[in-house]
DNA sequence: CGCGTTGTTGAAGAGCTTCAAATCTGGTGG
DNA sequence: CCACCAGATTTGAAGCTCTTCAACAACGCG
């Protein structure tokens, strides 16, 4: 419930808020409160009405959708990320469930306050529109990834993307359990296992959560990554500068949904 | 190039513009121009920089994505719909190609003007954010549809949705060629054909572009439509009233991408 | 150390794609 | 009006991909 000053600073640093005036920022974060959740907590179920904009400050959150006893992971979030922004803007019910994968700290901002401020402040509204645009494009990438690529190709591209995001080191570390990764990539855990095995001939060696890419060039020829599908994060998270391509955090959907790859 | 008064009225009626003041509307549509395209015209290729917000006034447009000689349909648009709003807001390049499926009339609004007005008018910015939220949610539904359902289930749900949208008549008319429908549903034309055949035991009879649903109840038990995936349009396009669930045009993605089902 | 979860592997089968060929359809020119 | 063509659709056969079920191994945690 108590909130460190540094927490608010990290929220202010989000693209969504980085350019808002101090007054507006105070208005939006006014009634906010911080909550701590253990791993495996369901924060929200599909269909629930949404009263808050969530901001993940620490830990990890999975967004998932379900139908007929089946579940699938739609996005994996790491700090600092917002989620369910679209539902908040429309004051609609959630289309995804959210649950913590680790012990997490989450800031909850009043949705009603957010909408009120949006109507008053064009710059903030514009920032929200930019954020949503980035999220939208993240999902377009996800749909293309899902419909145009087979399972092995999705995994190969995931590995290529991770390699870039982890600074081109040769042995990358999977940031989540394999069964979660499988669900994100749209396959069963068994199939992911076999997909890894079938990448052995491209120099991919798996030891637990560590994956060594001995022939990144060969893997990349198989993966055929495309800037129109894959969002290769800039290695350093420093200056993002221009929105020339688009703002990174939105682009990846780091704030709205890490979404595929 | 010349523009009927009624065309502008139809644009004004879009949720995106319905509540904007006449002055703001004039600013946004100021440098706009109307173009007519024959069927099969490529309006834009993936990766192109986007200078205009497109508004489909008449005809039909397909949005598609591609990778490695493969193509897939991401959305099918009918009048009156806007498209590539997200790219315009971010001043980014297009993630989808767009081409006309029929002779089409398309209004092109300056993206630069749109962004300028957004920064000046909080209400308009808010409307854009709402529109984008609806588009985002349309894509969330599309991803769930794609990842959670098999081909036959997607087709069954498509038919259930069409039946509702076509006023619950027993013989619905497919609004597009079957191969386009196949691509929208994420399958090959051959597979769509077989999927139709396998729905025969649920009372589905196909004659050309006409599909008769003799046992809609049985079909629906198979389809198991869900409000969290499928967007069953209100039969009458009259009063939409509340955004309680969400604005319909956004909800369906009628304006941003008709997107699956 | 024991136990439950997670990951791997094999076998069977369902689902989907590809290629090829036959059939149907709409539109064109004679 | 009819013959004809190109593209669209359907059907069959073969093969590949993916899922499911079952069993087993590996890991982490108390």
């Amino acid at each position: 419930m108590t909130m460190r000053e540094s927490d608010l600073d990290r929220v202010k640093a989000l693209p969504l808020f980085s350019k808002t005036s101090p007054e507006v920022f105070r208005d939006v974060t006014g009634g906010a409160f911080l909550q701590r959740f253990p791993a495996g907590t369901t924060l929200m179920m599909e269909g629930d009405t949404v009263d808050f904009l969530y901001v993940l400050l620490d830990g990890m959150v999975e967004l998932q959708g379900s139908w007929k006893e089946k579940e699938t992971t739609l996005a994996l979030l790491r700090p600092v990320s917002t989620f369910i922004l679209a539902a908040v803007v429309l004051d609609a019910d959630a289309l995804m469930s959210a649950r913590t994968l680790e012990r997490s700290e989450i800031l909850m901002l009043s949705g009603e306050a957010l909408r009120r401020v949006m109507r008053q402040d064009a710059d903030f509204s514009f920032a929200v529109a930019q954020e949503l645009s980035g999220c939208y494009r993240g999902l377009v990438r996800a749909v293309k990834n899902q419909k145009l690529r087979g399972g092995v190709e999705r995994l190969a591209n995931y590995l290529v993307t991770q390699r870039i995001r982890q600074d081109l080191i040769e042995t990358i570390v999977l940031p989540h359990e394999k069964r979660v990764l499988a669900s994100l990539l749209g396959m069963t855990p068994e199939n992911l296992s076999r997909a890894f095995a079938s990448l052995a001939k491209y120099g991919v060696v798996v030891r637990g959560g560590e994956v060594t890419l001995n022939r990144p060039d060969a893997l990349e020829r198989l993966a055929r990554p495309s800037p129109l599908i894959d969002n290769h994060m800039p290695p350093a998270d420093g200056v993002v500068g221009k929105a020339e391509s688009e703002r990174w955090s939105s682009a990846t959907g780091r704030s709205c949904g890490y979404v595929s790859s």
Side-chain angles (χ1 to χ4, degrees), chain A:
Chain A
M1 210 61 172
T2 60
M3 204 165 145
R4 289 183 296 271
E5 192 55 37
S6 63
D7 287 336
L8 267 190
D9 287 346
R10 288 198 295 158
V11 175
K12 183 72 170 80
L14 284 169
L16 184 58
F17 294 113
S18 63
K19 286 171 184 159
T20 59
S21 68
E23 306 83 55
V24 167
F25 185 67
R26 218 177 25 244
D27 285 351
V28 175
T29 56
F33 53 93
L34 188 65
Q35 285 229 3
R36 228 172 293 270
F37 300 95
T41 308
T42 295
L43 302 170
M44 139 166 28
M45 294 281 287
E46 288 175 285
D48 284 359
T49 63
V50 173
D51 296 317
F52 302 97
L53 176 65
Y54 290 66
V55 184
L56 175 65
L57 290 175
D58 200 39
M60 176 146 60
V61 165
E62 176 186 26
L63 302 182
Q64 54 183 198
S66 66
W67 182 71
K68 275 220 283 188
E69 9 269 273
K70 274 195 251 282
E71 289 189 343
T72 192
T73 301
L74 297 169
L76 294 170
L77 308 177
R78 320 233 59 176
V80 181
S81 308
T82 64
F83 53 103
I84 50 163
L85 177 57
V88 167
V89 168
L90 290 177
D91 196 10
D93 48 357
L95 293 182
M96 321 187 255
S97 303
R99 66 170 191 139
T100 56
L101 292 179
E102 304 172 352
R103 183 167 189 281
S104 299
E105 272 182 21
I106 292 172
L107 182 67
M108 298 165 77
L109 306 181
S110 156
E112 194 273 330
L114 185 127
R115 287 188 297 273
R116 180 163 29 78
V117 172
M118 279 180 72
R119 292 193 186 280
Q120 291 165 357
D121 188 281
D123 285 328
F124 180 62
S125 243
F126 190 79
V128 171
Q130 284 186 124
E131 183 80 13
L132 285 166
S133 295
C135 298
Y136 177 81
R137 289 164 65 84
L139 276 188
V140 170
R141 292 171 194 274
V143 177
K144 289 165 73 172
N145 189 44
Q146 188 67 34
K147 289 179 76 174
L148 291 168
R149 289 173 175 162
V152 177
E153 294 165 333
R154 290 197 295 275
L155 175 58
N157 276 287
Y158 174 86
L159 293 176
V160 167
T161 298
Q162 284 300 319
R163 177 166 167 275
I164 295 173
R165 293 188 185 175
Q166 295 183 21
D167 247 325
L168 302 179
I169 55 182
E170 67 172 8
T171 296
I172 66 181
V173 178
L174 300 179
H176 4 265
E177 280 179 348
K178 290 206 185 95
R179 64 191 187 83
V180 175
L181 176 58
S183 181
L184 182 67
L185 295 178
M187 52 178 106
T188 59
E190 295 94 324
N191 202 16
L192 175 61
S193 204
R194 286 185 257 268
F196 267 122
S198 76
L199 287 181
K201 53 176 167 257
Y202 299 92
V204 176
V205 178
V206 184
R207 261 185 335 278
E210 298 186 347
V211 181
T212 305
L213 310 179
N214 289 310
R215 298 200 284 129
D217 47 325
L219 184 62
E220 204 151 320
R221 270 195 302 281
L222 171 67
R224 265 239 242 146
S226 157
L228 299 173
I229 302 183
D230 310 289
N231 219 315
H232 295 164
M233 174 161 58
D237 72 340
V239 208
V240 180
K242 262 299 100 44
E244 43 89 335
S245 83
E246 66 204 288
R247 278 143 67 257
W248 165 241
S249 73
S250 298
T252 79
R254 192 204 269 156
S255 9
C256 249
Y258 174 68
V259 179
S260 84
S261 70

